[in-house]
Amino acid sequence: MDSSYQPRSLVVVTNREPYVDEKIANSIRRLETAGGVVSALDPVLQQVHGAWVAWGSGSGDRDTAPHGVRMVPPQAPQYTLHRIFLSPEEVNGYYNHYANQGLWPLSHMLIERTKFAREDFQTYRTVNRKFARRTAQIAPQNGAIFSHDYHLALFPRIIREMRPDVAVAHFWHIPWPPFTIFRLCPQHQEIVRGLLGADILGFQTPQDVDNFLTAVERGLKYPVDRETHTVKFPNREVTVRDYPISVDITAIEKMVEGPRIRRWTRALRHKAESQQVMLGISVDRGDYTKGILQRLTALEEFFERYPEYQERIVFLQIVVPTRTAVREYRLLHQKVTEESARLNRKFSRNGWQPIIHVPRSLDRPRLMGLFRAADFAIVSSLFDGMNLVAKEFISAQLDNRGVLLLSETAGAAAELEEAFHFNPLDAGNFADQLARALQTPLNERAQRIQMMRQHIHHHTIYDWMHQIVEALDQVAQSYASR
Ligand code: ADQ
């Protein structure tokens, strides 16, 4: 894949914005959203002077963009950010309810947590229409549009109706469940029909593609070409395929090689070695799909089954609170705090405690430094589209020392074969795999890490983006020559 490839034009459409303005006291502070997708797409938009359409969720967003338009990056403007402003009712119906309490848990196969209400779907549709209306106003003739995720499932179809000249790619970041589960969504047909408005539909894994195509066949009774993974309509076709998302491994390597982080990492290692403890780490958004409580149960099992590790492991549990407007998320947060404290009370001795619970976000260089310093990391998702933390940990492991314990039901498990896989609901298996991983000799650890690093070097976030954007540009060109 030619990494210098640039499309002619591009409009990116996401729920979250790449630049958020927050009002703090009487001033406005600019926050840059540091996610991988933003870091990959922002430079492309800067080069092609494209546009980004997103929900203006920041408390200072209206002040800095009174008409919903803000040139970004603010310090050296290169492209236009179009902010969609939503009323509190719209935020509730579209974001808190339909997307986060409906599509999110259902896609992660957590049926008991899933709630759907008709009025929320109406709001979801209204908001998707708002996004499409703005995009339709600004997209150039025969332009390329790259929209994202479960918040905007209806967007591709609506934009196609408004602007049949544009080419659309849509990427679904979370798992696509089997049809027996997805059909529980009362609007399952509308959701699938909405997504089929795209020309290119991307998923994380071949399994997700297969599940989606089954929903097309069984839910809509549309024929699917399983050889080419396409759904054909009289005047166009939709290509459905997997594009596993990844990280910027080179940027992570540079980050952990920077003098400040190197010094910090070395000091951490020195401290751990002098106290003869191993450093374990987990980093998650505080979401019930990440298996945080299940991991604590497994750690308890581990310290009971393998008491020789008591006083020898310090586990750093970094959890950033998320979606706190939803009650279940607040409850989870409380439960994680309580469980961590219980384990600490149960096992603590001689000044040692097994868990350090850090309930906040850390800046990226420090986080990557911790990944480099750690002896092991645990990713325990019950289900996860991909899980970037797993790939970030491997990318930061420049000393080839650490081991990765990875849930077999995270999308990343399909690619990171040399990790130690486990079933997140089987505490015994989880504990045994952790013991096995910690007993692995250094040369075998190094081999495993190197193989995974090589894989990530060949499949970076830029490869992900270029593959999709290049395919999208080809569709746009074919539309232009019609
Ligand atoms: P998420 O569910 O948010 O993403 P993940 O892929 O792990 O999950 O990405 C989280 C990102 O946030 C990582 O870059 C991580 O480093 C960062 N992060 C998490 N907790 C943090 C903390 N406490 N401090 C600092 N940074 C923190 C969704 C899907 C995933 C899919 C991604 C991308 O659910 O399956 O991999 O989108 O497609």
PDB file of all heavy atoms in Angstrom, residues 51-56 68-70 80-84 134 138:
ATOM      1  N   ALA A  51     -13.092  18.420   5.074  1.00  0.00           N
ATOM      2  CA  ALA A  51     -14.026  18.893   6.105  1.00  0.00           C
ATOM      3  C   ALA A  51     -14.342  17.742   7.054  1.00  0.00           C
ATOM      4  O   ALA A  51     -14.239  16.561   6.685  1.00  0.00           O
ATOM      5  CB  ALA A  51     -15.311  19.381   5.445  1.00  0.00           C
ATOM      6  N   TRP A  52     -14.695  18.096   8.300  1.00  0.00           N
ATOM      7  CA  TRP A  52     -15.046  17.089   9.314  1.00  0.00           C
ATOM      8  C   TRP A  52     -16.380  17.518   9.917  1.00  0.00           C
ATOM      9  O   TRP A  52     -16.527  18.672  10.332  1.00  0.00           O
ATOM     10  CB  TRP A  52     -13.951  17.047  10.381  1.00  0.00           C
ATOM     11  CG  TRP A  52     -14.001  15.841  11.267  1.00  0.00           C
ATOM     12  CD1 TRP A  52     -15.082  15.355  11.949  1.00  0.00           C
ATOM     13  CD2 TRP A  52     -12.904  14.958  11.578  1.00  0.00           C
ATOM     14  NE1 TRP A  52     -14.737  14.228  12.658  1.00  0.00           N
ATOM     15  CE2 TRP A  52     -13.404  13.958  12.451  1.00  0.00           C
ATOM     16  CE3 TRP A  52     -11.561  14.916  11.204  1.00  0.00           C
ATOM     17  CZ2 TRP A  52     -12.590  12.940  12.953  1.00  0.00           C
ATOM     18  CZ3 TRP A  52     -10.762  13.892  11.716  1.00  0.00           C
ATOM     19  CH2 TRP A  52     -11.275  12.914  12.575  1.00  0.00           C
ATOM     20  N   VAL A  53     -17.342  16.614   9.925  1.00  0.00           N
ATOM     21  CA  VAL A  53     -18.659  16.909  10.503  1.00  0.00           C
ATOM     22  C   VAL A  53     -18.792  16.078  11.779  1.00  0.00           C
ATOM     23  O   VAL A  53     -18.588  14.854  11.745  1.00  0.00           O
ATOM     24  CB  VAL A  53     -19.788  16.535   9.514  1.00  0.00           C
ATOM     25  CG1 VAL A  53     -21.161  16.843  10.123  1.00  0.00           C
ATOM     26  CG2 VAL A  53     -19.619  17.267   8.190  1.00  0.00           C
ATOM     27  N   ALA A  54     -19.112  16.728  12.906  1.00  0.00           N
ATOM     28  CA  ALA A  54     -19.224  15.988  14.172  1.00  0.00           C
ATOM     29  C   ALA A  54     -20.131  16.731  15.140  1.00  0.00           C
ATOM     30  O   ALA A  54     -20.379  17.935  14.977  1.00  0.00           O
ATOM     31  CB  ALA A  54     -17.840  15.816  14.804  1.00  0.00           C
ATOM     32  N   TRP A  55     -20.582  16.031  16.146  1.00  0.00           N
ATOM     33  CA  TRP A  55     -21.394  16.632  17.209  1.00  0.00           C
ATOM     34  C   TRP A  55     -20.534  17.624  18.002  1.00  0.00           C
ATOM     35  O   TRP A  55     -19.472  17.251  18.503  1.00  0.00           O
ATOM     36  CB  TRP A  55     -21.909  15.498  18.112  1.00  0.00           C
ATOM     37  CG  TRP A  55     -22.504  15.942  19.420  1.00  0.00           C
ATOM     38  CD1 TRP A  55     -23.135  17.120  19.694  1.00  0.00           C
ATOM     39  CD2 TRP A  55     -22.511  15.192  20.649  1.00  0.00           C
ATOM     40  NE1 TRP A  55     -23.540  17.147  21.005  1.00  0.00           N
ATOM     41  CE2 TRP A  55     -23.176  15.976  21.610  1.00  0.00           C
ATOM     42  CE3 TRP A  55     -22.032  13.921  21.003  1.00  0.00           C
ATOM     43  CZ2 TRP A  55     -23.361  15.549  22.922  1.00  0.00           C
ATOM     44  CZ3 TRP A  55     -22.217  13.492  22.302  1.00  0.00           C
ATOM     45  CH2 TRP A  55     -22.877  14.292  23.254  1.00  0.00           C
ATOM     46  N   GLY A  56     -21.013  18.867  18.100  1.00  0.00           N
ATOM     47  CA  GLY A  56     -20.295  19.867  18.890  1.00  0.00           C
ATOM     48  C   GLY A  56     -20.662  19.690  20.353  1.00  0.00           C
ATOM     49  O   GLY A  56     -21.577  20.323  20.851  1.00  0.00           O
ATOM     50  N   GLY A  68     -21.589  27.167  13.876  1.00  0.00           N
ATOM     51  CA  GLY A  68     -21.273  25.741  13.749  1.00  0.00           C
ATOM     52  C   GLY A  68     -20.064  25.480  12.873  1.00  0.00           C
ATOM     53  O   GLY A  68     -19.797  24.339  12.505  1.00  0.00           O
ATOM     54  N   VAL A  69     -19.308  26.517  12.540  1.00  0.00           N
ATOM     55  CA  VAL A  69     -18.158  26.309  11.654  1.00  0.00           C
ATOM     56  C   VAL A  69     -16.901  26.813  12.349  1.00  0.00           C
ATOM     57  O   VAL A  69     -16.864  27.925  12.866  1.00  0.00           O
ATOM     58  CB  VAL A  69     -18.348  27.075  10.319  1.00  0.00           C
ATOM     59  CG1 VAL A  69     -17.135  26.889   9.426  1.00  0.00           C
ATOM     60  CG2 VAL A  69     -19.596  26.589   9.606  1.00  0.00           C
ATOM     61  N   ARG A  70     -15.865  25.970  12.377  1.00  0.00           N
ATOM     62  CA  ARG A  70     -14.613  26.339  13.044  1.00  0.00           C
ATOM     63  C   ARG A  70     -13.478  25.845  12.170  1.00  0.00           C
ATOM     64  O   ARG A  70     -13.470  24.685  11.747  1.00  0.00           O
ATOM     65  CB  ARG A  70     -14.584  25.617  14.397  1.00  0.00           C
ATOM     66  CG  ARG A  70     -13.257  25.634  15.129  1.00  0.00           C
ATOM     67  CD  ARG A  70     -13.361  26.618  16.269  1.00  0.00           C
ATOM     68  NE  ARG A  70     -12.553  26.335  17.432  1.00  0.00           N
ATOM     69  CZ  ARG A  70     -11.447  27.022  17.716  1.00  0.00           C
ATOM     70  NH1 ARG A  70     -10.957  27.888  16.856  1.00  0.00           N
ATOM     71  NH2 ARG A  70     -10.832  26.797  18.864  1.00  0.00           N
ATOM     72  N   THR A  80     -12.078  22.592   7.632  1.00  0.00           N
ATOM     73  CA  THR A  80     -13.250  23.102   8.344  1.00  0.00           C
ATOM     74  C   THR A  80     -13.881  22.014   9.198  1.00  0.00           C
ATOM     75  O   THR A  80     -14.155  20.914   8.701  1.00  0.00           O
ATOM     76  CB  THR A  80     -14.313  23.567   7.320  1.00  0.00           C
ATOM     77  OG1 THR A  80     -13.643  24.162   6.227  1.00  0.00           O
ATOM     78  CG2 THR A  80     -15.279  24.558   7.934  1.00  0.00           C
ATOM     79  N   LEU A  81     -14.103  22.361  10.466  1.00  0.00           N
ATOM     80  CA  LEU A  81     -14.858  21.460  11.346  1.00  0.00           C
ATOM     81  C   LEU A  81     -16.284  21.988  11.395  1.00  0.00           C
ATOM     82  O   LEU A  81     -16.503  23.156  11.750  1.00  0.00           O
ATOM     83  CB  LEU A  81     -14.205  21.469  12.732  1.00  0.00           C
ATOM     84  CG  LEU A  81     -14.985  20.802  13.868  1.00  0.00           C
ATOM     85  CD1 LEU A  81     -15.216  19.318  13.593  1.00  0.00           C
ATOM     86  CD2 LEU A  81     -14.226  20.949  15.201  1.00  0.00           C
ATOM     87  N   HIS A  82     -17.242  21.164  11.009  1.00  0.00           N
ATOM     88  CA  HIS A  82     -18.655  21.549  11.056  1.00  0.00           C
ATOM     89  C   HIS A  82     -19.271  20.903  12.279  1.00  0.00           C
ATOM     90  O   HIS A  82     -19.340  19.669  12.362  1.00  0.00           O
ATOM     91  CB  HIS A  82     -19.389  21.088   9.795  1.00  0.00           C
ATOM     92  CG  HIS A  82     -18.916  21.801   8.575  1.00  0.00           C
ATOM     93  ND1 HIS A  82     -19.509  22.946   8.104  1.00  0.00           N
ATOM     94  CD2 HIS A  82     -17.869  21.546   7.757  1.00  0.00           C
ATOM     95  CE1 HIS A  82     -18.858  23.365   7.035  1.00  0.00           C
ATOM     96  NE2 HIS A  82     -17.859  22.532   6.802  1.00  0.00           N
ATOM     97  N   ARG A  83     -19.684  21.727  13.220  1.00  0.00           N
ATOM     98  CA  ARG A  83     -20.240  21.189  14.465  1.00  0.00           C
ATOM     99  C   ARG A  83     -21.755  21.114  14.366  1.00  0.00           C
ATOM    100  O   ARG A  83     -22.419  22.090  14.007  1.00  0.00           O
ATOM    101  CB  ARG A  83     -19.853  22.094  15.632  1.00  0.00           C
ATOM    102  CG  ARG A  83     -18.388  21.898  16.003  1.00  0.00           C
ATOM    103  CD  ARG A  83     -17.978  22.829  17.116  1.00  0.00           C
ATOM    104  NE  ARG A  83     -16.634  22.476  17.560  1.00  0.00           N
ATOM    105  CZ  ARG A  83     -15.793  23.326  18.134  1.00  0.00           C
ATOM    106  NH1 ARG A  83     -16.159  24.580  18.345  1.00  0.00           N
ATOM    107  NH2 ARG A  83     -14.602  22.927  18.504  1.00  0.00           N
ATOM    108  N   ILE A  84     -22.291  19.937  14.717  1.00  0.00           N
ATOM    109  CA  ILE A  84     -23.737  19.755  14.773  1.00  0.00           C
ATOM    110  C   ILE A  84     -24.133  19.963  16.231  1.00  0.00           C
ATOM    111  O   ILE A  84     -23.651  19.236  17.108  1.00  0.00           O
ATOM    112  CB  ILE A  84     -24.131  18.316  14.339  1.00  0.00           C
ATOM    113  CG1 ILE A  84     -23.519  17.945  12.989  1.00  0.00           C
ATOM    114  CG2 ILE A  84     -25.639  18.116  14.353  1.00  0.00           C
ATOM    115  CD1 ILE A  84     -24.064  18.678  11.818  1.00  0.00           C
ATOM    116  N   ARG A 134     -26.184  18.520   6.873  1.00  0.00           N
ATOM    117  CA  ARG A 134     -24.995  19.393   6.847  1.00  0.00           C
ATOM    118  C   ARG A 134     -23.956  18.856   5.856  1.00  0.00           C
ATOM    119  O   ARG A 134     -23.362  19.599   5.086  1.00  0.00           O
ATOM    120  CB  ARG A 134     -24.378  19.502   8.242  1.00  0.00           C
ATOM    121  CG  ARG A 134     -23.136  20.379   8.309  1.00  0.00           C
ATOM    122  CD  ARG A 134     -23.457  21.858   8.227  1.00  0.00           C
ATOM    123  NE  ARG A 134     -24.058  22.297   9.466  1.00  0.00           N
ATOM    124  CZ  ARG A 134     -23.361  22.749  10.512  1.00  0.00           C
ATOM    125  NH1 ARG A 134     -22.070  22.876  10.422  1.00  0.00           N
ATOM    126  NH2 ARG A 134     -23.966  23.079  11.627  1.00  0.00           N
ATOM    127  N   ILE A 138     -22.170  20.570   2.218  1.00  0.00           N
ATOM    128  CA  ILE A 138     -20.758  20.956   2.069  1.00  0.00           C
ATOM    129  C   ILE A 138     -19.933  20.008   1.195  1.00  0.00           C
ATOM    130  O   ILE A 138     -18.849  20.369   0.771  1.00  0.00           O
ATOM    131  CB  ILE A 138     -20.069  21.048   3.447  1.00  0.00           C
ATOM    132  CG1 ILE A 138     -20.180  19.697   4.161  1.00  0.00           C
ATOM    133  CG2 ILE A 138     -20.682  22.159   4.294  1.00  0.00           C
ATOM    134  CD1 ILE A 138     -19.104  19.485   5.169  1.00  0.00           C
TER     135      ILE A 138
END
